[in-house]
Amino acid sequence: MADPESEPSWRRLRGAAGRLCGHAAFWFQALAQPTIDLSLRTHPGHMTRIIESPGLSLPRDELDRLIAQLRTVAAKTLSADELTYGIFSGERERLSRAIVTLISEESTGHPVAFNALSVMQVELDGASVDLTHLGLVMVDPDARGQGLSWVLYGLTTLVLFLRDGLRPRWISNVTQVPSVVGMVSETFSEVYPSPRPGARQSFAHLQLARGIMRQHRGVFGVGDGAGFDESRFVITDAYTGGSDALKKTLADAPKHRDPLYAEFCARELDYERGDDVLQIGRIDLAAARAYLFEQVPHRSLPGLLVASLILGLQRLVLPVIHWLDDSRAFGALRPRQERTR
């Protein structure tokens, strides 16, 4: 006869094992799928879905349902006639370049937050590179303070980084919100501009910023008439290309826990005119480690699994994989050219 006192422990163990298998399956799919469409329980009572290129991968009815969910979150802070910016337009072309991270209540399916990333191609040192723009983040005011930031600002870029063989990946961010400036500065590597010690503008930063402003203003709703200060990476009069409803005052903009970022924004940006800062950084092994150990809650099994994976690959497997892969660049090594007759 079974010991009654052992049954709760057994159920907890079985539940933990089930969650572990689910998280392992999530990361296996993330690395294997050509186009991401994954769901994961990231918080108690919340499910997170990551959908890559929904404009290409989803049928019309599912795409309309996704857009309606995004509008439900945005409508908590914007009026209906202002929901025309970027992904809210419903245009397949815009949504074909997007990667949407949507957090919903597990019991009801009600959406509470989302992040809409975009992948842009920009020239760097004469070659075209993929750059991930962090895009629009919105959270239902009733759901703020529930620790959703680590999902909205880092999880999807981490999945892309892992799927790309842990090769460093450039990211960009356009904002006037001190809390977002701080989140980006503390999550990614080589971020410029940033008030953190050691932040500096490299020639790579400048090349990418020029390419973004020349080719991709529409991704973040900045009109052709907006200026760009290359010395400070500040977009002047930025709210002229469809993002007007997102303009804030410094008093209204959410603050970071470190006042350093609010002081930086107050010093660098003219809020009355409507300035934004264009931040450029990278996700690499150092950024991934910092994200996992400092921002992902310790109780999160996905974070622990990926931490182990990254450390193992970094120390034992990753250099060998990169060295043997003759189809892609690795440091000074260049891909093998096909012979022509």
Side-chain angles (χ1 to χ4, degrees), residues 13-61:
L13 181 62
R14 187 169 55 185
R19 290 193 297 273
L20 184 63
C21 291
H23 294 317
F26 170 86
W27 289 111
F28 178 79
Q29 292 177 57
L31 295 172
Q33 285 183 337
T35 302
I36 299 169
D37 189 349
L38 303 168
S39 295
L40 179 69
R41 189 172 186 264
T42 51
H43 298 78
H46 288 109
M47 289 294 295
T48 296
R49 184 184 182 190
I50 302 174
I51 315 143
E52 183 180 12
S53 304
L56 297 176
S57 61
L58 297 183
R60 186 72 246 183
D61 59 335

mmCIF file of all heavy atoms in Angstrom, residues 13-61:
data_model
loop_
_atom_site.group_PDB
_atom_site.id
_atom_site.type_symbol
_atom_site.label_atom_id
_atom_site.label_comp_id
_atom_site.label_asym_id
_atom_site.label_seq_id
_atom_site.Cartn_x
_atom_site.Cartn_y
_atom_site.Cartn_z
ATOM 1 N N LEU A 13 7.316 15.822 -8.135
ATOM 2 C CA LEU A 13 8.435 15.350 -8.948
ATOM 3 C C LEU A 13 7.989 15.076 -10.378
ATOM 4 O O LEU A 13 8.668 15.442 -11.342
ATOM 5 C CB LEU A 13 9.024 14.089 -8.319
ATOM 6 C CG LEU A 13 10.239 13.472 -9.032
ATOM 7 C CD1 LEU A 13 11.393 14.469 -9.038
ATOM 8 C CD2 LEU A 13 10.654 12.169 -8.351
ATOM 9 N N ARG A 14 6.818 14.442 -10.514
ATOM 10 C CA ARG A 14 6.294 14.147 -11.848
ATOM 11 C C ARG A 14 5.963 15.435 -12.595
ATOM 12 O O ARG A 14 6.218 15.566 -13.795
ATOM 13 C CB ARG A 14 5.062 13.272 -11.730
ATOM 14 C CG ARG A 14 4.536 12.770 -13.076
ATOM 15 C CD ARG A 14 3.488 11.697 -12.881
ATOM 16 N NE ARG A 14 2.402 12.163 -12.014
ATOM 17 C CZ ARG A 14 1.408 11.378 -11.601
ATOM 18 N NH1 ARG A 14 1.396 10.098 -11.948
ATOM 19 N NH2 ARG A 14 0.455 11.861 -10.831
ATOM 20 N N GLY A 15 5.403 16.430 -11.870
ATOM 21 C CA GLY A 15 5.097 17.717 -12.504
ATOM 22 C C GLY A 15 6.347 18.433 -12.956
ATOM 23 O O GLY A 15 6.398 19.008 -14.051
ATOM 24 N N ALA A 16 7.411 18.400 -12.104
ATOM 25 C CA ALA A 16 8.674 19.034 -12.482
ATOM 26 C C ALA A 16 9.284 18.350 -13.694
ATOM 27 O O ALA A 16 9.811 19.007 -14.600
ATOM 28 C CB ALA A 16 9.640 19.007 -11.306
ATOM 29 N N ALA A 17 9.202 17.019 -13.720
ATOM 30 C CA ALA A 17 9.738 16.278 -14.869
ATOM 31 C C ALA A 17 8.984 16.627 -16.144
ATOM 32 O O ALA A 17 9.577 16.784 -17.218
ATOM 33 C CB ALA A 17 9.664 14.778 -14.595
ATOM 34 N N GLY A 18 7.657 16.768 -16.032
ATOM 35 C CA GLY A 18 6.859 17.147 -17.195
ATOM 36 C C GLY A 18 7.228 18.522 -17.719
ATOM 37 O O GLY A 18 7.346 18.740 -18.928
ATOM 38 N N ARG A 19 7.427 19.463 -16.770
ATOM 39 C CA ARG A 19 7.815 20.821 -17.191
ATOM 40 C C ARG A 19 9.196 20.808 -17.824
ATOM 41 O O ARG A 19 9.450 21.508 -18.809
ATOM 42 C CB ARG A 19 7.781 21.765 -15.994
ATOM 43 C CG ARG A 19 6.372 22.068 -15.495
ATOM 44 C CD ARG A 19 6.373 23.241 -14.523
ATOM 45 N NE ARG A 19 7.153 22.957 -13.321
ATOM 46 C CZ ARG A 19 6.662 22.367 -12.242
ATOM 47 N NH1 ARG A 19 5.391 21.962 -12.228
ATOM 48 N NH2 ARG A 19 7.415 22.159 -11.174
ATOM 49 N N LEU A 20 10.098 20.004 -17.258
ATOM 50 C CA LEU A 20 11.448 19.907 -17.806
ATOM 51 C C LEU A 20 11.411 19.391 -19.242
ATOM 52 O O LEU A 20 12.079 19.928 -20.126
ATOM 53 C CB LEU A 20 12.290 18.982 -16.935
ATOM 54 C CG LEU A 20 13.769 18.829 -17.311
ATOM 55 C CD1 LEU A 20 14.479 20.165 -17.170
ATOM 56 C CD2 LEU A 20 14.434 17.778 -16.438
ATOM 57 N N CYS A 21 10.607 18.355 -19.483
ATOM 58 C CA CYS A 21 10.479 17.821 -20.846
ATOM 59 C C CYS A 21 9.876 18.866 -21.788
ATOM 60 O O CYS A 21 10.295 18.999 -22.942
ATOM 61 C CB CYS A 21 9.608 16.570 -20.838
ATOM 62 S SG CYS A 21 10.362 15.146 -20.028
ATOM 63 N N GLY A 22 8.903 19.627 -21.279
ATOM 64 C CA GLY A 22 8.290 20.662 -22.104
ATOM 65 C C GLY A 22 9.273 21.738 -22.483
ATOM 66 O O GLY A 22 9.318 22.192 -23.631
ATOM 67 N N HIS A 23 10.116 22.171 -21.509
ATOM 68 C CA HIS A 23 11.112 23.200 -21.802
ATOM 69 C C HIS A 23 12.182 22.675 -22.757
ATOM 70 O O HIS A 23 12.641 23.400 -23.650
ATOM 71 C CB HIS A 23 11.757 23.683 -20.511
ATOM 72 C CG HIS A 23 10.812 24.400 -19.596
ATOM 73 N ND1 HIS A 23 9.900 25.334 -20.058
ATOM 74 C CD2 HIS A 23 10.642 24.329 -18.253
ATOM 75 C CE1 HIS A 23 9.208 25.798 -19.027
ATOM 76 N NE2 HIS A 23 9.638 25.210 -17.924
ATOM 77 N N ALA A 24 12.588 21.418 -22.560
ATOM 78 C CA ALA A 24 13.574 20.830 -23.466
ATOM 79 C C ALA A 24 13.026 20.767 -24.891
ATOM 80 O O ALA A 24 13.725 21.072 -25.858
ATOM 81 C CB ALA A 24 13.961 19.435 -22.976
ATOM 82 N N ALA A 25 11.749 20.394 -25.012
ATOM 83 C CA ALA A 25 11.118 20.348 -26.336
ATOM 84 C C ALA A 25 11.063 21.738 -26.957
ATOM 85 O O ALA A 25 11.268 21.910 -28.158
ATOM 86 C CB ALA A 25 9.710 19.768 -26.221
ATOM 87 N N PHE A 26 10.792 22.762 -26.124
ATOM 88 C CA PHE A 26 10.743 24.148 -26.624
ATOM 89 C C PHE A 26 12.067 24.529 -27.254
ATOM 90 O O PHE A 26 12.124 25.025 -28.383
ATOM 91 C CB PHE A 26 10.414 25.088 -25.460
ATOM 92 C CG PHE A 26 10.566 26.549 -25.803
ATOM 93 C CD1 PHE A 26 9.530 27.251 -26.400
ATOM 94 C CD2 PHE A 26 11.742 27.223 -25.529
ATOM 95 C CE1 PHE A 26 9.665 28.593 -26.716
ATOM 96 C CE2 PHE A 26 11.889 28.562 -25.843
ATOM 97 C CZ PHE A 26 10.844 29.246 -26.426
ATOM 98 N N TRP A 27 13.179 24.279 -26.541
ATOM 99 C CA TRP A 27 14.477 24.708 -27.068
ATOM 100 C C TRP A 27 14.900 23.848 -28.252
ATOM 101 O O TRP A 27 15.537 24.352 -29.185
ATOM 102 C CB TRP A 27 15.525 24.666 -25.953
ATOM 103 C CG TRP A 27 15.299 25.748 -24.947
ATOM 104 C CD1 TRP A 27 14.889 25.613 -23.662
ATOM 105 C CD2 TRP A 27 15.422 27.158 -25.175
ATOM 106 N NE1 TRP A 27 14.747 26.846 -23.080
ATOM 107 C CE2 TRP A 27 15.074 27.806 -23.981
ATOM 108 C CE3 TRP A 27 15.795 27.929 -26.275
ATOM 109 C CZ2 TRP A 27 15.083 29.184 -23.851
ATOM 110 C CZ3 TRP A 27 15.810 29.314 -26.151
ATOM 111 C CH2 TRP A 27 15.467 29.924 -24.945
ATOM 112 N N PHE A 28 14.519 22.575 -28.264
ATOM 113 C CA PHE A 28 14.824 21.740 -29.420
ATOM 114 C C PHE A 28 14.121 22.278 -30.661
ATOM 115 O O PHE A 28 14.708 22.393 -31.732
ATOM 116 C CB PHE A 28 14.404 20.297 -29.153
ATOM 117 C CG PHE A 28 14.644 19.381 -30.322
ATOM 118 C CD1 PHE A 28 15.911 18.890 -30.580
ATOM 119 C CD2 PHE A 28 13.604 19.032 -31.172
ATOM 120 C CE1 PHE A 28 16.136 18.041 -31.659
ATOM 121 C CE2 PHE A 28 13.817 18.206 -32.254
ATOM 122 C CZ PHE A 28 15.096 17.708 -32.492
ATOM 123 N N GLN A 29 12.843 22.634 -30.512
ATOM 124 C CA GLN A 29 12.099 23.197 -31.645
ATOM 125 C C GLN A 29 12.681 24.537 -32.065
ATOM 126 O O GLN A 29 12.757 24.856 -33.251
ATOM 127 C CB GLN A 29 10.632 23.362 -31.273
ATOM 128 C CG GLN A 29 9.873 22.060 -31.084
ATOM 129 C CD GLN A 29 8.445 22.318 -30.654
ATOM 130 O OE1 GLN A 29 7.695 23.011 -31.338
ATOM 131 N NE2 GLN A 29 8.072 21.791 -29.497
ATOM 132 N N ALA A 30 13.068 25.360 -31.077
ATOM 133 C CA ALA A 30 13.611 26.680 -31.390
ATOM 134 C C ALA A 30 14.856 26.579 -32.255
ATOM 135 O O ALA A 30 15.086 27.401 -33.139
ATOM 136 C CB ALA A 30 13.933 27.432 -30.099
ATOM 137 N N LEU A 31 15.678 25.554 -31.996
ATOM 138 C CA LEU A 31 16.903 25.386 -32.764
ATOM 139 C C LEU A 31 16.661 24.691 -34.096
ATOM 140 O O LEU A 31 17.443 24.825 -35.022
ATOM 141 C CB LEU A 31 17.915 24.583 -31.947
ATOM 142 C CG LEU A 31 18.416 25.265 -30.666
ATOM 143 C CD1 LEU A 31 19.254 24.295 -29.859
ATOM 144 C CD2 LEU A 31 19.208 26.516 -30.987
ATOM 145 N N ALA A 32 15.563 23.924 -34.201
ATOM 146 C CA ALA A 32 15.336 23.107 -35.386
ATOM 147 C C ALA A 32 14.387 23.745 -36.396
ATOM 148 O O ALA A 32 14.515 23.507 -37.591
ATOM 149 C CB ALA A 32 14.788 21.739 -34.969
ATOM 150 N N GLN A 33 13.416 24.525 -35.942
ATOM 151 C CA GLN A 33 12.404 25.050 -36.860
ATOM 152 C C GLN A 33 12.982 26.097 -37.800
ATOM 153 O O GLN A 33 13.726 26.984 -37.375
ATOM 154 C CB GLN A 33 11.260 25.698 -36.067
ATOM 155 C CG GLN A 33 10.328 24.721 -35.401
ATOM 156 C CD GLN A 33 9.185 25.439 -34.695
ATOM 157 O OE1 GLN A 33 9.288 26.604 -34.336
ATOM 158 N NE2 GLN A 33 8.094 24.738 -34.501
ATOM 159 N N PRO A 34 12.638 26.050 -39.089
ATOM 160 C CA PRO A 34 13.067 27.115 -39.997
ATOM 161 C C PRO A 34 12.377 28.436 -39.686
ATOM 162 O O PRO A 34 12.957 29.506 -39.856
ATOM 163 C CB PRO A 34 12.670 26.583 -41.381
ATOM 164 C CG PRO A 34 11.579 25.594 -41.115
ATOM 165 C CD PRO A 34 11.883 24.992 -39.788
ATOM 166 N N THR A 35 11.121 28.372 -39.246
ATOM 167 C CA THR A 35 10.371 29.564 -38.838
ATOM 168 C C THR A 35 9.777 29.301 -37.457
ATOM 169 O O THR A 35 9.048 28.325 -37.276
ATOM 170 C CB THR A 35 9.237 29.885 -39.839
ATOM 171 O OG1 THR A 35 9.804 30.069 -41.136
ATOM 172 C CG2 THR A 35 8.516 31.152 -39.420
ATOM 173 N N ILE A 36 10.086 30.164 -36.516
ATOM 174 C CA ILE A 36 9.690 29.932 -35.126
ATOM 175 C C ILE A 36 8.195 30.150 -34.939
ATOM 176 O O ILE A 36 7.638 31.160 -35.372
ATOM 177 C CB ILE A 36 10.459 30.888 -34.192
ATOM 178 C CG1 ILE A 36 11.965 30.644 -34.284
ATOM 179 C CG2 ILE A 36 9.987 30.746 -32.747
ATOM 180 C CD1 ILE A 36 12.790 31.711 -33.606
ATOM 181 N N ASP A 37 7.536 29.204 -34.280
ATOM 182 C CA ASP A 37 6.184 29.377 -33.750
ATOM 183 C C ASP A 37 6.097 28.481 -32.517
ATOM 184 O O ASP A 37 5.754 27.300 -32.605
ATOM 185 C CB ASP A 37 5.116 29.013 -34.781
ATOM 186 C CG ASP A 37 3.708 29.403 -34.315
ATOM 187 O OD1 ASP A 37 3.547 29.754 -33.125
ATOM 188 O OD2 ASP A 37 2.772 29.363 -35.133
ATOM 189 N N LEU A 38 6.447 29.051 -31.370
ATOM 190 C CA LEU A 38 6.622 28.289 -30.139
ATOM 191 C C LEU A 38 5.820 28.891 -29.004
ATOM 192 O O LEU A 38 5.615 30.100 -28.941
ATOM 193 C CB LEU A 38 8.103 28.272 -29.742
ATOM 194 C CG LEU A 38 9.093 27.710 -30.768
ATOM 195 C CD1 LEU A 38 10.513 28.028 -30.350
ATOM 196 C CD2 LEU A 38 8.896 26.224 -30.918
ATOM 197 N N SER A 39 5.390 28.041 -28.087
ATOM 198 C CA SER A 39 4.693 28.488 -26.888
ATOM 199 C C SER A 39 5.387 27.916 -25.661
ATOM 200 O O SER A 39 5.832 26.761 -25.670
ATOM 201 C CB SER A 39 3.225 28.046 -26.910
ATOM 202 O OG SER A 39 2.524 28.677 -27.966
ATOM 203 N N LEU A 40 5.476 28.731 -24.610
ATOM 204 C CA LEU A 40 6.184 28.340 -23.399
ATOM 205 C C LEU A 40 5.542 29.025 -22.197
ATOM 206 O O LEU A 40 5.169 30.196 -22.265
ATOM 207 C CB LEU A 40 7.652 28.747 -23.498
ATOM 208 C CG LEU A 40 8.552 28.439 -22.303
ATOM 209 C CD1 LEU A 40 8.767 26.944 -22.175
ATOM 210 C CD2 LEU A 40 9.886 29.152 -22.451
ATOM 211 N N ARG A 41 5.414 28.280 -21.102
ATOM 212 C CA ARG A 41 4.903 28.852 -19.861
ATOM 213 C C ARG A 41 6.069 29.542 -19.149
ATOM 214 O O ARG A 41 6.907 28.893 -18.539
ATOM 215 C CB ARG A 41 4.304 27.758 -18.977
ATOM 216 C CG ARG A 41 3.541 28.262 -17.764
ATOM 217 C CD ARG A 41 2.848 27.085 -17.087
ATOM 218 N NE ARG A 41 1.980 27.515 -15.997
ATOM 219 C CZ ARG A 41 2.351 27.541 -14.720
ATOM 220 N NH1 ARG A 41 3.587 27.169 -14.394
ATOM 221 N NH2 ARG A 41 1.503 27.927 -13.789
ATOM 222 N N THR A 42 6.131 30.859 -19.222
ATOM 223 C CA THR A 42 7.260 31.615 -18.681
ATOM 224 C C THR A 42 6.998 32.172 -17.291
ATOM 225 O O THR A 42 7.935 32.504 -16.575
ATOM 226 C CB THR A 42 7.610 32.784 -19.613
ATOM 227 O OG1 THR A 42 6.419 33.535 -19.907
ATOM 228 C CG2 THR A 42 8.213 32.278 -20.915
ATOM 229 N N HIS A 43 5.740 32.338 -16.912
ATOM 230 C CA HIS A 43 5.360 32.848 -15.595
ATOM 231 C C HIS A 43 4.200 32.010 -15.071
ATOM 232 O O HIS A 43 3.449 31.432 -15.870
ATOM 233 C CB HIS A 43 4.905 34.313 -15.664
ATOM 234 C CG HIS A 43 5.950 35.266 -16.132
ATOM 235 N ND1 HIS A 43 6.290 35.400 -17.455
ATOM 236 C CD2 HIS A 43 6.717 36.152 -15.449
ATOM 237 C CE1 HIS A 43 7.239 36.317 -17.570
ATOM 238 N NE2 HIS A 43 7.511 36.789 -16.374
ATOM 239 N N PRO A 44 4.025 31.946 -13.777
ATOM 240 C CA PRO A 44 2.823 31.294 -13.247
ATOM 241 C C PRO A 44 1.563 31.973 -13.785
ATOM 242 O O PRO A 44 1.374 33.180 -13.619
ATOM 243 C CB PRO A 44 2.954 31.495 -11.736
ATOM 244 C CG PRO A 44 4.421 31.673 -11.496
ATOM 245 C CD PRO A 44 4.937 32.396 -12.707
ATOM 246 N N GLY A 45 0.748 31.208 -14.493
ATOM 247 C CA GLY A 45 -0.499 31.757 -15.023
ATOM 248 C C GLY A 45 -0.374 32.452 -16.356
ATOM 249 O O GLY A 45 -1.369 32.971 -16.869
ATOM 250 N N HIS A 46 0.823 32.463 -16.961
ATOM 251 C CA HIS A 46 1.001 33.146 -18.245
ATOM 252 C C HIS A 46 1.671 32.220 -19.256
ATOM 253 O O HIS A 46 2.578 31.466 -18.907
ATOM 254 C CB HIS A 46 1.854 34.409 -18.085
ATOM 255 C CG HIS A 46 1.159 35.528 -17.392
ATOM 256 N ND1 HIS A 46 1.492 35.933 -16.119
ATOM 257 C CD2 HIS A 46 0.132 36.319 -17.778
ATOM 258 C CE1 HIS A 46 0.713 36.942 -15.754
ATOM 259 N NE2 HIS A 46 -0.122 37.184 -16.743
ATOM 260 N N MET A 47 1.234 32.316 -20.508
ATOM 261 C CA MET A 47 1.862 31.614 -21.622
ATOM 262 C C MET A 47 2.467 32.636 -22.571
ATOM 263 O O MET A 47 1.873 33.690 -22.825
ATOM 264 C CB MET A 47 0.851 30.764 -22.379
ATOM 265 C CG MET A 47 0.356 29.541 -21.632
ATOM 266 S SD MET A 47 1.658 28.303 -21.360
ATOM 267 C CE MET A 47 2.018 27.806 -23.047
ATOM 268 N N THR A 48 3.650 32.318 -23.082
ATOM 269 C CA THR A 48 4.324 33.181 -24.052
ATOM 270 C C THR A 48 4.405 32.455 -25.384
ATOM 271 O O THR A 48 4.822 31.292 -25.450
ATOM 272 C CB THR A 48 5.733 33.543 -23.576
ATOM 273 O OG1 THR A 48 5.640 34.310 -22.373
ATOM 274 C CG2 THR A 48 6.466 34.366 -24.633
ATOM 275 N N ARG A 49 4.002 33.145 -26.450
ATOM 276 C CA ARG A 49 4.098 32.594 -27.793
ATOM 277 C C ARG A 49 5.028 33.474 -28.617
ATOM 278 O O ARG A 49 4.909 34.706 -28.600
ATOM 279 C CB ARG A 49 2.726 32.539 -28.465
ATOM 280 C CG ARG A 49 2.742 31.881 -29.855
ATOM 281 C CD ARG A 49 1.381 31.940 -30.531
ATOM 282 N NE ARG A 49 1.394 31.282 -31.828
ATOM 283 C CZ ARG A 49 0.400 31.355 -32.719
ATOM 284 N NH1 ARG A 49 -0.699 32.036 -32.412
ATOM 285 N NH2 ARG A 49 0.494 30.730 -33.883
ATOM 286 N N ILE A 50 5.974 32.855 -29.319
ATOM 287 C CA ILE A 50 6.900 33.564 -30.208
ATOM 288 C C ILE A 50 6.595 33.125 -31.628
ATOM 289 O O ILE A 50 6.649 31.933 -31.947
ATOM 290 C CB ILE A 50 8.364 33.251 -29.858
ATOM 291 C CG1 ILE A 50 8.665 33.622 -28.401
ATOM 292 C CG2 ILE A 50 9.308 33.989 -30.799
ATOM 293 C CD1 ILE A 50 10.046 33.208 -27.938
ATOM 294 N N ILE A 51 6.266 34.085 -32.496
ATOM 295 C CA ILE A 51 5.877 33.787 -33.879
ATOM 296 C C ILE A 51 6.776 34.588 -34.819
ATOM 297 O O ILE A 51 6.760 35.820 -34.794
ATOM 298 C CB ILE A 51 4.408 34.147 -34.160
ATOM 299 C CG1 ILE A 51 3.518 33.665 -33.026
ATOM 300 C CG2 ILE A 51 3.948 33.573 -35.482
ATOM 301 C CD1 ILE A 51 2.393 34.591 -32.712
ATOM 302 N N GLU A 52 7.530 33.880 -35.631
ATOM 303 C CA GLU A 52 8.407 34.538 -36.597
ATOM 304 C C GLU A 52 7.705 34.680 -37.942
ATOM 305 O O GLU A 52 7.060 33.751 -38.418
ATOM 306 C CB GLU A 52 9.686 33.720 -36.762
ATOM 307 C CG GLU A 52 10.707 34.340 -37.696
ATOM 308 C CD GLU A 52 11.959 33.502 -37.822
ATOM 309 O OE1 GLU A 52 11.955 32.339 -37.377
ATOM 310 O OE2 GLU A 52 12.948 34.020 -38.376
ATOM 311 N N SER A 53 7.820 35.862 -38.541
ATOM 312 C CA SER A 53 7.242 36.144 -39.861
ATOM 313 C C SER A 53 5.782 35.728 -39.956
ATOM 314 O O SER A 53 5.404 34.949 -40.844
ATOM 315 C CB SER A 53 8.049 35.451 -40.962
ATOM 316 O OG SER A 53 9.398 35.820 -40.930
ATOM 317 N N PRO A 54 4.911 36.217 -39.073
ATOM 318 C CA PRO A 54 3.506 35.794 -39.130
ATOM 319 C C PRO A 54 2.826 36.159 -40.445
ATOM 320 O O PRO A 54 1.881 35.490 -40.852
ATOM 321 C CB PRO A 54 2.870 36.519 -37.940
ATOM 322 C CG PRO A 54 3.784 37.660 -37.643
ATOM 323 C CD PRO A 54 5.156 37.184 -37.983
ATOM 324 N N GLY A 55 3.312 37.200 -41.112
ATOM 325 C CA GLY A 55 2.736 37.570 -42.396
ATOM 326 C C GLY A 55 2.943 36.520 -43.461
ATOM 327 O O GLY A 55 2.207 36.483 -44.456
ATOM 328 N N LEU A 56 3.953 35.656 -43.274
ATOM 329 C CA LEU A 56 4.219 34.581 -44.224
ATOM 330 C C LEU A 56 3.733 33.228 -43.711
ATOM 331 O O LEU A 56 3.287 32.385 -44.494
ATOM 332 C CB LEU A 56 5.726 34.497 -44.510
ATOM 333 C CG LEU A 56 6.382 35.704 -45.169
ATOM 334 C CD1 LEU A 56 7.880 35.479 -45.282
ATOM 335 C CD2 LEU A 56 5.781 35.976 -46.534
ATOM 336 N N SER A 57 3.839 33.010 -42.396
ATOM 337 C CA SER A 57 3.612 31.675 -41.861
ATOM 338 C C SER A 57 2.174 31.398 -41.429
ATOM 339 O O SER A 57 1.784 30.235 -41.307
ATOM 340 C CB SER A 57 4.540 31.440 -40.659
ATOM 341 O OG SER A 57 4.273 32.381 -39.623
ATOM 342 N N LEU A 58 1.376 32.450 -41.187
ATOM 343 C CA LEU A 58 0.021 32.238 -40.677
ATOM 344 C C LEU A 58 -1.021 32.436 -41.771
ATOM 345 O O LEU A 58 -0.906 33.373 -42.585
ATOM 346 C CB LEU A 58 -0.282 33.207 -39.528
ATOM 347 C CG LEU A 58 0.563 33.082 -38.257
ATOM 348 C CD1 LEU A 58 0.074 34.079 -37.209
ATOM 349 C CD2 LEU A 58 0.521 31.662 -37.706
ATOM 350 N N PRO A 59 -2.061 31.606 -41.822
ATOM 351 C CA PRO A 59 -3.181 31.881 -42.724
ATOM 352 C C PRO A 59 -3.913 33.143 -42.297
ATOM 353 O O PRO A 59 -3.768 33.613 -41.165
ATOM 354 C CB PRO A 59 -4.065 30.637 -42.570
ATOM 355 C CG PRO A 59 -3.671 30.029 -41.270
ATOM 356 C CD PRO A 59 -2.239 30.364 -41.053
ATOM 357 N N ARG A 60 -4.745 33.685 -43.189
ATOM 358 C CA ARG A 60 -5.357 34.985 -42.966
ATOM 359 C C ARG A 60 -6.163 35.053 -41.681
ATOM 360 O O ARG A 60 -6.076 36.028 -40.938
ATOM 361 C CB ARG A 60 -6.267 35.330 -44.147
ATOM 362 C CG ARG A 60 -6.879 36.725 -44.119
ATOM 363 C CD ARG A 60 -5.830 37.773 -44.421
ATOM 364 N NE ARG A 60 -5.542 38.655 -43.319
ATOM 365 C CZ ARG A 60 -4.695 39.686 -43.377
ATOM 366 N NH1 ARG A 60 -4.031 39.909 -44.491
ATOM 367 N NH2 ARG A 60 -4.470 40.441 -42.341
ATOM 368 N N ASP A 61 -6.939 34.010 -41.370
ATOM 369 C CA ASP A 61 -7.777 34.073 -40.180
ATOM 370 C C ASP A 61 -6.936 34.082 -38.903
ATOM 371 O O ASP A 61 -7.248 34.822 -37.953
ATOM 372 C CB ASP A 61 -8.787 32.915 -40.154
ATOM 373 C CG ASP A 61 -8.111 31.551 -40.187
ATOM 374 O OD1 ASP A 61 -6.969 31.461 -40.684
ATOM 375 O OD2 ASP A 61 -8.724 30.580 -39.708
#
